[in-house]
Protein backbone atom coordinates (compact mmCIF):
# COMPACT_ATOMS: atom_id res chain seq x y z
CA UNK A 1 0.00 0.00 0.00
CA UNK A 2 1.20 3.52 -0.79
CA UNK A 3 2.29 5.73 2.07
CA UNK A 4 -0.67 7.79 3.25
CA UNK A 5 0.01 11.48 2.69
CA UNK A 6 -2.39 13.99 4.22
CA UNK A 7 -2.29 17.74 4.50
CA UNK A 8 -3.61 20.71 6.39
CA UNK A 9 -3.92 23.80 4.21
CA UNK A 10 -5.22 26.73 6.26
CA UNK A 11 -5.87 30.14 4.73
CA UNK A 12 -4.10 32.65 6.98
CA UNK A 13 -6.95 35.08 7.29
CA UNK A 14 -7.39 34.79 11.07
CA UNK A 15 -6.52 32.61 14.04
CA UNK A 16 -6.83 28.82 14.04
CA UNK A 17 -10.38 28.08 15.14
CA UNK A 18 -11.99 25.00 16.62
CA UNK A 19 -13.20 23.61 13.28
CA UNK A 20 -9.83 24.15 11.61
CA UNK A 21 -8.04 22.53 14.51
CA UNK A 22 -10.27 19.48 14.20
CA UNK A 23 -9.51 19.22 10.48
CA UNK A 24 -5.79 19.49 11.20
CA UNK A 25 -6.10 16.89 13.93
CA UNK A 26 -7.98 14.35 11.79
CA UNK A 27 -5.38 14.61 9.02
CA UNK A 28 -2.51 14.46 11.47
CA UNK A 29 -3.94 11.51 13.40
CA UNK A 30 -4.64 9.59 10.23
CA UNK A 31 -1.11 10.17 8.95
CA UNK A 32 0.38 9.14 12.31
CA UNK A 33 -1.93 6.12 12.60
CA UNK A 34 -0.95 4.93 9.13
CA UNK A 35 2.75 5.73 9.54
CA UNK A 36 2.22 8.20 6.76
CA UNK A 37 3.20 11.80 6.21
CA UNK A 38 1.48 15.04 7.14
CA UNK A 39 2.10 18.22 5.16
CA UNK A 40 1.43 21.80 6.17
CA UNK A 41 0.57 24.26 3.44
CA UNK A 42 -0.37 27.89 3.86
CA UNK A 43 -2.99 28.95 1.32
CA UNK A 44 -2.13 32.62 1.09
CA UNK A 45 -3.11 33.42 -2.48
CA UNK A 46 -5.69 35.91 -1.22
CA UNK A 47 -3.14 38.62 -0.57
CA UNK A 48 -5.76 41.11 0.61
CA UNK A 49 -6.92 38.92 3.49
CA UNK A 50 -3.79 36.90 4.31
CA UNK A 51 -1.53 38.24 7.04
CA UNK A 52 1.76 37.24 8.61
CA UNK A 53 0.11 37.60 12.02
CA UNK A 54 -2.38 34.89 11.05
CA UNK A 55 0.41 32.63 9.78
CA UNK A 56 2.20 33.05 13.11
CA UNK A 57 -1.02 32.44 15.06
CA UNK A 58 -1.64 29.21 13.14
CA UNK A 59 1.90 27.94 13.83
CA UNK A 60 1.54 28.85 17.49
CA UNK A 61 -1.77 27.01 17.80
CA UNK A 62 -0.48 23.90 16.00
CA UNK A 63 2.57 23.85 18.20
CA UNK A 64 0.42 24.04 21.32
CA UNK A 65 -1.81 21.26 20.04
CA UNK A 66 1.27 19.12 19.44
CA UNK A 67 0.45 18.74 15.76
CA UNK A 68 3.78 18.50 13.97
CA UNK A 69 4.33 18.25 10.25
CA UNK A 70 6.73 16.20 8.16
CA UNK A 71 6.93 18.58 5.25
CA UNK A 72 6.36 22.27 4.72
CA UNK A 73 5.16 24.75 5.53
CA UNK A 74 4.68 25.45 1.84
CA UNK A 75 3.30 28.84 0.88
CA UNK A 76 1.06 29.05 -2.15
CA UNK A 77 2.17 32.63 -2.76
CA UNK A 78 5.64 31.25 -3.59
CA UNK A 79 4.37 28.64 -6.03
CA UNK A 80 2.80 30.74 -8.77
CA UNK A 81 5.29 29.52 -11.38
CA UNK A 82 4.11 25.97 -10.83
CA UNK A 83 0.45 26.94 -11.22
CA UNK A 84 1.20 28.86 -14.41
CA UNK A 85 3.04 25.86 -15.80
CA UNK A 86 0.05 23.59 -15.15
CA UNK A 87 -2.42 26.11 -16.55
CA UNK A 88 -0.36 26.13 -19.72
CA UNK A 89 -0.44 22.32 -19.82
CA UNK A 90 -4.22 22.42 -19.59
CA UNK A 91 -4.43 24.95 -22.41
CA UNK A 92 -2.00 23.00 -24.58
CA UNK A 93 -3.94 19.78 -24.10
CA UNK A 94 -7.21 21.46 -25.04
CA UNK A 95 -8.65 21.15 -21.53
CA UNK A 96 -8.69 24.88 -20.84
CA UNK A 97 -9.11 28.01 -22.91
CA UNK A 98 -8.77 31.78 -22.84
CA UNK A 99 -11.92 33.78 -22.35
CA UNK A 100 -12.29 37.50 -22.97
CA UNK A 101 -15.91 37.90 -21.96
CA UNK A 102 -16.24 41.22 -20.15
CA UNK A 103 -17.52 41.51 -16.58
CA UNK A 104 -20.59 43.27 -18.00
CA UNK A 105 -21.30 40.35 -20.28
CA UNK A 106 -20.91 37.89 -17.42
CA UNK A 107 -23.21 39.99 -15.28
CA UNK A 108 -25.74 39.94 -18.09
CA UNK A 109 -25.53 36.12 -18.26
CA UNK A 110 -26.05 35.96 -14.51
CA UNK A 111 -29.11 38.19 -14.65
CA UNK A 112 -30.71 36.21 -17.47
CA UNK A 113 -30.13 32.96 -15.59
CA UNK A 114 -31.59 34.35 -12.39
CA UNK A 115 -34.61 35.77 -14.20
CA UNK A 116 -35.38 32.38 -15.72
CA UNK A 117 -34.83 30.62 -12.39
CA UNK A 118 -31.64 28.92 -13.56
CA UNK A 119 -28.27 28.60 -11.84
CA UNK A 120 -25.86 31.28 -13.11
CA UNK A 121 -23.39 29.61 -15.43
CA UNK A 122 -20.86 30.67 -17.99
CA UNK A 123 -22.49 30.13 -21.41
CA UNK A 124 -19.37 28.94 -23.25
CA UNK A 125 -19.03 31.92 -25.59
CA UNK A 126 -15.22 31.58 -25.84
CA UNK A 127 -15.05 27.79 -25.43
CA UNK A 128 -14.42 26.98 -29.06
CA UNK A 129 -12.85 30.26 -30.17
CA UNK A 130 -9.29 29.03 -29.81
CA UNK A 131 -8.09 32.43 -28.54
CA UNK A 132 -4.31 32.76 -28.26
CA UNK A 133 -3.44 34.48 -24.98
CA UNK A 134 -5.19 37.80 -25.55
CA UNK A 135 -4.77 40.65 -23.07
CA UNK A 136 -6.97 40.67 -19.99
CA UNK A 137 -8.21 37.14 -20.59
CA UNK A 138 -9.11 34.64 -17.93
CA UNK A 139 -8.43 30.93 -18.41
CA UNK A 140 -11.38 28.59 -18.05
CA UNK A 141 -11.55 24.83 -17.80
CA UNK A 142 -13.34 23.00 -20.59
CA UNK A 143 -15.70 21.14 -18.30
CA UNK A 144 -17.64 18.06 -19.47
CA UNK A 145 -21.05 19.15 -20.73
CA UNK A 146 -22.93 15.96 -20.02
CA UNK A 147 -22.78 13.09 -17.57
CA UNK A 148 -21.97 13.22 -13.90
CA UNK A 149 -19.03 13.83 -11.64
CA UNK A 150 -19.08 11.58 -8.62
CA UNK A 151 -17.28 12.26 -5.37
CA UNK A 152 -16.59 8.92 -3.67
CA UNK A 153 -16.60 10.39 -0.21
CA UNK A 154 -15.14 8.10 2.46
CA UNK A 155 -17.46 9.63 5.05
CA UNK A 156 -20.63 10.57 3.20
CA UNK A 157 -20.62 7.89 0.50
CA UNK A 158 -21.03 8.75 -3.18
CA UNK A 159 -22.12 12.29 -3.95
CA UNK A 160 -23.29 12.70 -7.53
CA UNK A 161 -23.08 16.04 -9.33
CA UNK A 162 -24.74 16.56 -12.73
CA UNK A 163 -22.20 18.13 -15.05
CA UNK A 164 -24.96 20.30 -16.50
CA UNK A 165 -25.07 22.00 -13.11
CA UNK A 166 -21.39 22.94 -13.34
CA UNK A 167 -19.75 25.28 -15.79
CA UNK A 168 -16.43 26.24 -17.31
CA UNK A 169 -15.13 27.81 -14.14
CA UNK A 170 -12.10 30.08 -14.05
CA UNK A 171 -8.63 28.61 -13.41
CA UNK A 172 -6.64 31.80 -13.85
CA UNK A 173 -7.84 35.34 -13.34
CA UNK A 174 -7.18 38.12 -15.84
CA UNK A 175 -4.36 39.44 -13.63
CA UNK A 176 -2.58 36.11 -14.07
CA UNK A 177 -3.25 34.76 -10.55
CA UNK A 178 -4.54 31.21 -10.12
CA UNK A 179 -7.92 30.57 -8.54
CA UNK A 180 -8.34 28.67 -5.32
CA UNK A 181 -9.51 25.40 -6.91
CA UNK A 182 -6.64 25.34 -9.37
CA UNK A 183 -3.95 26.05 -6.78
CA UNK A 184 -5.30 23.43 -4.37
CA UNK A 185 -5.35 20.70 -6.98
CA UNK A 186 -1.91 21.46 -8.37
CA UNK A 187 -0.51 21.46 -4.86
CA UNK A 188 -2.25 18.25 -3.92
CA UNK A 189 -0.97 16.57 -7.08
CA UNK A 190 2.60 17.84 -6.82
CA UNK A 191 2.76 17.10 -3.10
CA UNK A 192 1.47 13.55 -3.76
CA UNK A 193 -1.45 14.01 -1.35
CA UNK A 194 -3.59 10.90 -1.48
CA UNK A 195 -6.03 11.54 1.37
CA UNK A 196 -7.99 14.76 1.83
CA UNK A 197 -10.11 15.22 4.94
CA UNK A 198 -11.77 18.60 5.19
CA UNK A 199 -14.91 20.37 6.31
CA UNK A 200 -18.05 19.73 4.30
CA UNK A 201 -18.22 23.43 3.47
CA UNK A 202 -15.80 22.38 0.70
CA UNK A 203 -18.02 19.70 -0.77
CA UNK A 204 -19.12 21.85 -3.70
CA UNK A 205 -15.53 22.54 -4.67
CA UNK A 206 -14.72 18.87 -4.95
CA UNK A 207 -16.40 18.08 -8.32
CA UNK A 208 -14.58 21.07 -9.81
CA UNK A 209 -11.33 19.83 -8.38
CA UNK A 210 -12.01 16.34 -9.72
CA UNK A 211 -12.45 17.87 -13.19
CA UNK A 212 -8.98 19.39 -12.94
CA UNK A 213 -7.46 16.06 -11.86
CA UNK A 214 -9.19 14.36 -14.77
CA UNK A 215 -8.10 17.01 -17.23
CA UNK A 216 -4.50 16.46 -16.12
CA UNK A 217 -4.84 12.68 -16.16
CA UNK A 218 -3.87 12.58 -12.48
CA UNK A 219 -5.14 9.92 -10.11
CA UNK A 220 -7.69 11.06 -7.57
CA UNK A 221 -7.02 11.17 -3.84
CA UNK A 222 -9.56 9.84 -1.34
CA UNK A 223 -11.89 12.60 -0.21
CA UNK A 224 -13.69 12.77 3.10
CA UNK A 225 -15.88 15.70 4.09
CA UNK A 226 -16.47 16.12 7.79
CA UNK A 227 -19.71 17.70 9.03
CA UNK A 228 -19.29 21.14 10.55
CA UNK A 229 -18.97 21.73 14.27
CA UNK A 230 -22.14 23.33 15.67
CA UNK A 231 -22.91 25.34 18.78
CA UNK A 232 -25.48 24.32 21.40
CA UNK A 233 -28.25 25.94 19.33
CA UNK A 234 -27.27 23.77 16.35
CA UNK A 235 -26.08 26.64 14.21
CA UNK A 236 -22.56 26.67 12.87
CA UNK A 237 -20.06 27.29 15.67
CA UNK A 238 -19.16 30.95 15.83
CA UNK A 239 -17.97 33.66 18.20
CA UNK A 240 -21.50 33.88 19.60
CA UNK A 241 -20.98 30.46 21.17
CA UNK A 242 -17.82 31.48 23.02
CA UNK A 243 -14.13 31.35 22.29
CA UNK A 244 -13.28 30.30 18.76
CA UNK A 245 -9.55 30.57 18.71
CA UNK A 246 -7.56 27.54 19.82
CA UNK A 247 -5.04 29.62 21.74
CA UNK A 248 -7.84 31.16 23.80
CA UNK A 249 -8.44 27.67 25.18
CA UNK A 250 -4.75 27.39 26.00
CA UNK A 251 -5.00 30.70 27.86
CA UNK A 252 -8.08 29.56 29.76
CA UNK A 253 -6.07 26.66 31.15
CA UNK A 254 -6.90 23.67 29.01
CA UNK A 255 -4.30 20.98 28.45
CA UNK A 256 -3.58 20.39 24.77
CA UNK A 257 -4.18 16.65 25.20
CA UNK A 258 -7.59 17.34 26.73
CA UNK A 259 -8.42 19.77 23.95
CA UNK A 260 -7.52 17.33 21.17
CA UNK A 261 -9.37 14.56 23.00
CA UNK A 262 -12.45 16.77 23.05
CA UNK A 263 -12.35 18.01 19.48
CA UNK A 264 -11.61 14.61 18.00
CA UNK A 265 -14.84 13.40 19.58
CA UNK A 266 -16.75 16.13 17.73
CA UNK A 267 -16.93 13.90 14.71
CA UNK A 268 -15.15 10.66 15.50
CA UNK A 269 -15.96 7.90 17.94
CA UNK A 270 -14.59 4.65 19.25
CA UNK A 271 -17.48 2.83 20.90
CA UNK A 272 -18.56 4.95 23.81
CA UNK A 273 -15.04 5.70 25.04
CA UNK A 274 -14.66 9.37 25.95
CA UNK A 275 -11.19 9.64 27.44
CA UNK A 276 -8.21 9.09 25.15
CA UNK A 277 -4.55 9.82 25.58
CA UNK A 278 -2.73 11.18 22.56
CA UNK A 279 -1.06 7.78 22.04
CA UNK A 280 -4.41 6.02 22.16
CA UNK A 281 -5.84 8.41 19.59
CA UNK A 282 -2.99 7.67 17.23
CA UNK A 283 -3.48 3.95 17.78
CA UNK A 284 -7.26 3.97 17.37
CA UNK A 285 -8.02 6.72 14.86
CA UNK A 286 -9.58 5.60 11.59
CA UNK A 287 -11.59 7.22 8.82
CA UNK A 288 -14.36 4.60 9.14
CA UNK A 289 -15.32 5.95 12.54
CA UNK A 290 -15.79 9.54 11.46
CA UNK A 291 -19.50 10.20 11.87
CA UNK A 292 -21.96 11.69 9.43
CA UNK A 293 -23.69 13.98 11.86
CA UNK A 294 -22.42 17.31 13.09
CA UNK A 295 -20.59 17.49 16.39
CA UNK A 296 -22.01 19.91 18.96
CA UNK A 297 -19.51 21.91 20.93
CA UNK A 298 -20.22 21.68 24.66
CA UNK A 299 -17.87 23.61 26.91
CA UNK A 300 -18.96 21.68 30.02
CA UNK A 301 -17.87 18.42 28.44
CA UNK A 302 -14.56 19.96 27.49
CA UNK A 303 -14.13 21.16 31.05
CA UNK A 304 -14.91 17.73 32.51
CA UNK A 305 -12.46 16.10 30.12
CA UNK A 306 -9.84 18.67 31.03
CA UNK A 307 -10.25 17.79 34.70
CA UNK A 308 -9.77 14.11 33.82
CA UNK A 309 -6.63 14.84 31.82
CA UNK A 310 -5.22 17.03 34.59
CA UNK A 311 -5.78 14.14 36.99
CA UNK A 312 -4.19 11.55 34.69
CA UNK A 313 -1.18 13.51 33.44
CA UNK A 314 2.09 12.81 35.23
CA UNK A 315 3.02 15.86 37.34
CA UNK A 316 6.44 16.09 35.69
CA UNK A 317 4.75 16.43 32.30
CA UNK A 318 2.36 19.06 33.54
CA UNK A 319 4.98 21.56 34.76
CA UNK A 320 5.52 23.21 31.40
CA UNK A 321 1.78 23.72 30.97
CA UNK A 322 1.21 25.06 34.48
CA UNK A 323 4.28 27.31 34.63
CA UNK A 324 2.87 30.18 32.50
CA UNK A 325 -0.14 30.45 34.81
CA UNK A 326 2.04 30.57 37.91
CA UNK A 327 4.34 33.09 36.27
CA UNK A 328 1.35 35.25 35.51
CA UNK A 329 0.57 35.32 39.22
CA UNK A 330 4.15 36.41 39.85
CA UNK A 331 5.58 33.05 40.96
CA UNK A 332 8.80 31.61 39.61
CA UNK A 333 8.81 27.91 38.88
CA UNK A 334 11.58 25.45 38.57
CA UNK A 335 11.32 21.83 37.61
CA UNK A 336 11.80 19.52 40.54
CA UNK A 337 10.15 17.70 43.42
CA UNK A 338 8.61 20.86 44.92
CA UNK A 339 6.50 21.80 41.91
CA UNK A 340 5.70 18.14 41.21
CA UNK A 341 4.54 17.84 44.80
CA UNK A 342 2.39 20.94 44.42
CA UNK A 343 0.78 19.47 41.31
CA UNK A 344 0.17 16.11 42.99
CA UNK A 345 -1.83 17.78 45.76
CA UNK A 346 -4.01 19.71 43.31
CA UNK A 347 -4.45 17.57 40.21
CA UNK A 348 -7.53 15.79 41.48
CA UNK A 349 -9.26 19.03 42.41
CA UNK A 350 -8.58 21.40 39.48
CA UNK A 351 -10.65 21.69 36.33
CA UNK A 352 -8.23 24.03 34.59
CA UNK A 353 -4.58 24.96 34.89
CA UNK A 354 -5.62 28.50 35.71
CA UNK A 355 -7.64 27.22 38.63
CA UNK A 356 -4.73 25.01 39.68
CA UNK A 357 -2.30 27.93 39.65
CA UNK A 358 -4.67 30.02 41.75
CA UNK A 359 -5.11 27.18 44.24
CA UNK A 360 -1.33 26.70 44.33
CA UNK A 361 -0.58 30.32 45.15
CA UNK A 362 -0.28 29.70 48.89
CA UNK A 363 2.64 27.35 48.34
CA UNK A 364 4.65 30.16 46.80
CA UNK A 365 3.75 33.09 49.02
CA UNK A 366 6.21 34.11 51.75
CA UNK A 367 3.51 35.21 54.13
CA UNK A 368 0.07 33.74 54.18
CA UNK A 369 -2.87 36.11 54.18
CA UNK A 370 -5.69 34.67 56.23
CA UNK A 371 -9.34 34.51 55.33
CA UNK A 372 -10.90 37.01 57.77
CA UNK A 373 -13.99 35.09 58.80
CA UNK A 374 -11.93 31.96 59.25
CA UNK A 375 -9.50 33.55 61.70
CA UNK A 376 -12.41 34.52 63.96
CA UNK A 377 -13.65 30.96 63.87
CA UNK A 378 -10.46 28.90 63.94
CA UNK A 379 -7.67 31.00 65.48
CA UNK A 380 -8.74 30.58 69.11
CA UNK A 381 -6.86 30.06 72.37
CA UNK A 382 -7.40 26.31 71.96
CA UNK A 383 -5.83 26.32 68.56
CA UNK A 384 -2.92 28.32 69.94
CA UNK A 385 -2.10 25.46 72.30
CA UNK A 386 -2.55 22.99 69.53
CA UNK A 387 -0.32 24.89 67.17
CA UNK A 388 2.43 25.10 69.77
CA UNK A 389 2.27 21.35 70.36
CA UNK A 390 2.45 20.76 66.66
CA UNK A 391 5.45 23.05 66.28
CA UNK A 392 7.24 21.13 69.00
CA UNK A 393 6.48 17.74 67.46
CA UNK A 394 7.42 18.83 63.97
CA UNK A 395 10.65 20.38 65.14
CA UNK A 396 11.78 17.04 66.49
CA UNK A 397 10.30 14.98 63.64
CA UNK A 398 12.85 13.28 61.43
CA UNK A 399 10.62 12.20 58.61
CA UNK A 400 8.10 14.33 56.75
CA UNK A 401 6.40 11.73 54.63
CA UNK A 402 2.63 11.53 54.95
CA UNK A 403 2.70 8.41 57.13
CA UNK A 404 5.07 9.99 59.69
CA UNK A 405 3.00 13.18 59.70
CA UNK A 406 -0.11 11.16 60.35
CA UNK A 407 1.62 9.71 63.44
CA UNK A 408 2.51 13.19 64.66
CA UNK A 409 -1.14 14.22 64.38
CA UNK A 410 -2.34 11.00 66.03
CA UNK A 411 -0.24 11.81 69.06
CA UNK A 412 -1.72 15.31 69.25
CA UNK A 413 -5.21 13.86 68.95
CA UNK A 414 -4.46 11.51 71.85
CA UNK A 415 -2.99 14.27 73.98
CA UNK A 416 -5.83 16.74 73.36
CA UNK A 417 -8.75 14.37 72.90
CA UNK A 418 -9.68 16.33 69.77
CA UNK A 419 -10.71 14.75 66.46
CA UNK A 420 -8.53 15.30 63.42
CA UNK A 421 -11.19 17.55 61.86
CA UNK A 422 -10.93 19.99 64.75
CA UNK A 423 -7.16 20.03 64.60
CA UNK A 424 -6.94 20.23 60.85
CA UNK A 425 -8.93 23.43 60.33
CA UNK A 426 -6.70 25.87 62.26
CA UNK A 427 -3.60 24.14 60.89
CA UNK A 428 -4.97 24.41 57.37
CA UNK A 429 -5.67 28.09 57.91
CA UNK A 430 -2.16 28.61 59.25
CA UNK A 431 -0.56 26.84 56.29
CA UNK A 432 -2.74 28.10 53.47
CA UNK A 433 -4.74 31.08 54.73
CA UNK A 434 -7.87 29.31 53.52
CA UNK A 435 -10.49 26.89 54.76
CA UNK A 436 -10.39 24.62 51.74
CA UNK A 437 -7.21 23.06 50.45
CA UNK A 438 -5.59 19.71 49.80
CA UNK A 439 -5.04 17.47 52.84
CA UNK A 440 -2.78 18.98 55.48
CA UNK A 441 -0.34 16.04 55.53
CA UNK A 442 0.17 16.48 51.82
CA UNK A 443 0.67 20.22 52.23
CA UNK A 444 3.20 19.87 55.06
CA UNK A 445 4.99 17.24 53.05
CA UNK A 446 5.27 19.53 50.02
CA UNK A 447 6.11 22.70 51.94
CA UNK A 448 8.80 20.88 53.92
CA UNK A 449 9.88 21.34 57.50
CA UNK A 450 11.21 24.88 57.38
CA UNK A 451 8.32 26.50 55.55
CA UNK A 452 5.67 24.58 57.48
CA UNK A 453 7.17 25.57 60.82
CA UNK A 454 7.55 29.13 59.67
CA UNK A 455 3.87 29.32 58.80
CA UNK A 456 2.76 27.73 62.05
CA UNK A 457 4.91 30.21 63.97
CA UNK A 458 3.44 33.10 61.98
CA UNK A 459 -0.02 31.85 62.98
CA UNK A 460 1.02 31.61 66.63
CA UNK A 461 2.18 35.24 66.56
CA UNK A 462 -1.02 36.26 64.84
CA UNK A 463 -3.21 34.55 67.44
CA UNK A 464 -1.12 35.88 70.33
CA UNK A 465 -1.46 39.39 68.99
CA UNK A 466 -5.17 38.94 68.51
CA UNK A 467 -5.53 37.70 72.10
CA UNK A 468 -3.47 40.44 73.71
N1 LIG B 1 -7.61 26.72 2.53
C1 LIG B 1 -8.87 26.08 2.76
C2 LIG B 1 -9.48 26.54 4.04
O1 LIG B 1 -8.79 27.07 4.89
C3 LIG B 1 -8.75 24.56 2.81
C4 LIG B 1 -8.87 23.94 1.50
C5 LIG B 1 -8.86 22.44 1.47
O2 LIG B 1 -8.82 21.75 2.51
O3 LIG B 1 -8.84 21.91 0.36
O4 LIG B 1 -10.66 26.35 4.22
Amino acid sequence: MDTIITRFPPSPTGFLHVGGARTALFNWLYARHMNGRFILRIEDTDTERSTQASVDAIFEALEWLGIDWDEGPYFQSKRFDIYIEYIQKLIDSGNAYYCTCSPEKLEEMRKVAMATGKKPKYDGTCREKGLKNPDNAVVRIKAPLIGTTVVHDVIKGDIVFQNTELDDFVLRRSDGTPTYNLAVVIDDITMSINTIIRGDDHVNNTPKQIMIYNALGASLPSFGHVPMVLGGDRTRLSKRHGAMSVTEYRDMGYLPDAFINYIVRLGWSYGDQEFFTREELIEKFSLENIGRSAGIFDIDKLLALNADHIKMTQPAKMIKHLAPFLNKLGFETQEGPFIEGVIKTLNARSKTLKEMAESAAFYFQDTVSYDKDATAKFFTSDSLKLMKMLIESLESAQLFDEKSLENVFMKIMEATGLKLGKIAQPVRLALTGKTASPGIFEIINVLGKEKSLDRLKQAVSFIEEKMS
Side-chain angles (χ1 to χ4, degrees):
M1 192 182 166
D2 288 346
T3 305
I4 291 294
I5 306 180
T6 67
R7 50 39 155 207
F8 178 54
S11 306
T13 54
F15 45 72
L16 183 65
H17 56 75
V18 173
R22 187 188 58 164
T23 302
L25 182 63
F26 281 5
N27 284 285
W28 179 81
L29 281 175
Y30 189 54
R32 292 290 169 265
H33 174 76
M34 299 298 288
N35 272 323
R37 296 174 68 69
F38 174 69
I39 296 178
L40 179 64
R41 178 169 83 220
I42 304 295
E43 301 204 324
D44 57 349
T45 48
D46 183 347
T47 46
E48 303 245 302
R49 292 174 63 224
S50 302
T51 64
Q52 185 57 41
S54 301
V55 173
D56 294 342
I58 290 166
F59 290 164
E60 190 187 329
L62 290 174
E63 194 186 324
W64 177 67
L65 292 168
I67 294 181
D68 54 352
W69 49 94
D70 306 303
E71 226 178 274
Y74 293 105
F75 289 83
Q76 285 193 327
S77 57
K78 300 215 167 75
R79 296 171 52 84
F80 276 31
D81 290 353
I82 302 172
Y83 308 137
I84 300 303
E85 180 192 323
Y86 276 86
I87 291 166
Q88 195 57 49
K89 273 190 196 170
L90 287 165
I91 296 170
D92 293 345
S93 63
N95 286 293
Y97 60 92
Y98 292 105
C99 163
T100 50
C101 291
S102 66
E104 295 74 32
K105 184 170 164 110
L106 296 173
E107 180 56 23
E108 194 52 37
M109 269 178 226
R110 202 185 66 84
K111 276 194 189 142
V112 172
M114 300 293 268
T116 51
K118 288 192 191 128
K119 227 170 139 183
K121 272 175 54 176
Y122 179 63
D123 69 0
T125 301
C126 296
R127 187 174 161 111
E128 303 301 341
K129 279 190 184 162
L131 297 172
K132 298 269 178 273
N133 200 6
D135 285 345
N136 291 324
V138 302
V139 175
R140 290 181 182 276
I141 190 154
K142 212 177 243 184
L145 298 173
I146 50 164
T148 57
T149 299
V150 183
V151 179
H152 299 292
D153 191 297
V154 294
I155 298 163
K156 295 180 186 289
D158 284 358
I159 310 169
V160 181
F161 292 85
Q162 299 298 325
N163 290 336
T164 48
E165 291 287 304
L166 302 162
D167 70 352
D168 290 352
F169 57 93
V170 174
L171 301 173
R172 195 206 75 178
R173 300 184 192 90
S174 57
D175 64 3
T177 58
T179 56
Y180 161 73
N181 280 316
L182 186 275
V184 166
V185 172
I186 303 310
D187 282 345
D188 287 336
I189 292 174
T190 54
M191 293 172 193
S192 309
I193 306 293
N194 50 26
T195 311
I196 294 177
I197 317 289
R198 59 186 170 201
D200 64 7
D201 50 338
H202 283 288
V203 127
N204 288 329
N205 285 321
T206 309
K208 296 183 188 178
Q209 296 183 2
I210 288 176
M211 285 179 182
I212 304 175
Y213 278 93
N214 291 342
L216 287 165
S219 55
L220 291 178
S222 302
F223 289 101
H225 293 90
V226 188
M228 295 285 98
V229 181
L230 306 180
D233 57 0
R234 297 189 174 250
T235 61
R236 192 171 165 175
L237 192 67
S238 75
K239 197 82 205 149
R240 280 181 301 119
H241 299 105
M244 283 295 284
S245 139
V246 166
T247 45
E248 277 180 79
Y249 288 92
R250 174 195 63 192
D251 300 342
M252 284 189 268
Y254 290 90
L255 278 173
D257 284 17
F259 192 76
I260 66 164
N261 183 169
Y262 182 65
I263 61 172
V264 80
R265 294 279 295 103
L266 291 171
W268 174 86
S269 59
Y270 192 81
D272 51 15
Q273 186 173 341
E274 294 282 356
F275 182 95
F276 297 86
T277 61
R278 184 177 292 265
E279 292 69 34
E280 257 179 304
L281 286 177
I282 292 173
E283 185 196 317
K284 294 180 170 165
F285 188 80
S286 65
L287 300 185
E288 293 84 70
N289 288 334
I290 295 179
R292 291 186 189 193
S293 52
I296 298 184
F297 192 84
D298 178 346
I299 189 82
D300 293 331
K301 276 198 183 159
L302 170 59
L303 197 61
L305 212 43
N306 200 45
D308 290 344
H309 275 268
I310 287 178
K311 207 181 301 172
M312 305 300 281
T313 304
Q314 279 173 20
K317 288 204 173 145
M318 195 117 89
I319 300 171
K320 71 168 191 249
H321 300 294
L322 179 65
F325 294 93
L326 287 168
N327 296 344
K328 222 175 181 173
L329 296 176
F331 307 124
E332 289 294 320
T333 47
Q334 263 171 357
E335 285 189 20
F338 173 67
I339 183 76
E340 283 183 39
V342 168
I343 293 171
K344 257 183 234 159
T345 65
L346 293 167
N347 61 6
R349 36 170 62 233
S350 309
K351 286 201 165 71
T352 67
L353 296 165
K354 190 161 177 270
E355 189 185 314
M356 183 184 268
E358 281 156 9
S359 309
F362 75 84
Y363 282 115
F364 297 86
Q365 284 153 348
D366 290 331
T367 46
V368 173
S369 50
Y370 306 119
D371 176 309
K372 256 223 161 74
D373 296 340
T375 52
K377 196 163 165 201
F378 298 117
F379 279 177
T380 59
S381 53
D382 281 350
S383 49
L384 184 63
K385 263 186 255 153
L386 196 86
M387 222 86 83
K388 285 183 172 168
M389 278 175 83
L390 184 58
I391 290 171
E392 210 172 297
S393 318
L394 289 180
E395 264 169 349
S396 57
Q398 296 299 318
L399 294 170
F400 262 62
D401 61 282
E402 286 177 35
K403 191 85 209 124
S404 314
L405 290 168
E406 200 180 321
N407 285 333
V408 168
F409 276 80
M410 290 283 271
K411 292 217 174 88
I412 296 178
M413 281 160 70
E414 275 162 28
T416 57
L418 290 172
K419 292 219 169 80
L420 183 62
K422 281 268 181 259
I423 302 175
Q425 278 306 56
V427 173
R428 181 189 311 283
L429 188 60
L431 296 173
T432 70
K434 294 183 285 193
T435 51
S437 75
I440 51 172
F441 304 150
E442 295 170 77
I443 297 176
I444 297 175
N445 176 252
V446 172
L447 282 173
K449 186 168 186 167
E450 200 183 320
K451 270 195 188 164
S452 301
L453 282 169
D454 185 48
R455 287 180 189 206
L456 290 168
K457 286 174 187 169
Q458 278 182 40
V460 165
S461 313
F462 182 93
I463 303 171
E464 281 173 346
E465 204 159 298
K466 193 174 112 171
M467 302 270 156
S468 63

